Amino acid sequence: ARLRHDVAVKAQAEVQAADLQDVELVFAAKVGESGRLYGSITSADIARQLSERINAEVDKRKVQLDDPIREIGKSKVDVKLHSDVKITVTVIVEPEAT
């Protein structure tokens, strides 16, 4: 029974990975004069946006972000959907329109 469950969970993770292939997440944030954010983009923010994309919960602990993103630009972030299924998403941080 456990083996069937593990296979089903892995299959679900593979379907989610296919849905998220080459996905770009765009965040608008307040930026200071030096180009640094007033706040930061955290793994919880990334997980929330991924969850909205696939209509399924993505745990923030699965987003492998060493430090919060604090600057505008593009970043590559790994997301481990299952022990055998890992994807890389592009996070784009843009200045918030005033």
Side-chain angles (χ1 to χ4, degrees), residues 24-25 69 71-77 90-94:
E24 289 185 345
L25 304 177
I69 300 170
E71 296 180 353
I72 58 172
K74 287 186 179 183
S75 302
K76 297 283 186 182
V77 178
T90 302
V91 176
I92 301 170
V93 182
E94 299 176 340

Side-chain angles (χ1 to χ4, degrees), residues 62-80:
K62 294 183 179 185
V63 177
Q64 298 177 326
L65 185 65
D66 295 330
D67 295 313
I69 300 170
R70 299 183 192 278
E71 296 180 353
I72 58 172
K74 287 186 179 183
S75 302
K76 297 283 186 182
V77 178
D78 291 329
V79 180
K80 194 170 188 178

Side-chain angles (χ1 to χ4, degrees), residues 15-59:
V15 169
Q16 290 175 344
D19 290 344
L20 295 173
Q21 192 68 26
D22 301 323
V23 72
E24 289 185 345
L25 304 177
V26 180
F27 293 90
K30 292 184 180 182
V31 180
E33 291 179 21
S34 64
R36 290 186 53 88
L37 306 182
Y38 283 119
S40 62
I41 306 301
T42 64
S43 57
D45 298 324
I46 296 168
R48 188 176 316 109
Q49 215 176 92
L50 286 172
S51 296
E52 291 171 4
R53 289 273 175 108
I54 62 172
N55 293 323
E57 189 66 28
V58 175
D59 191 341

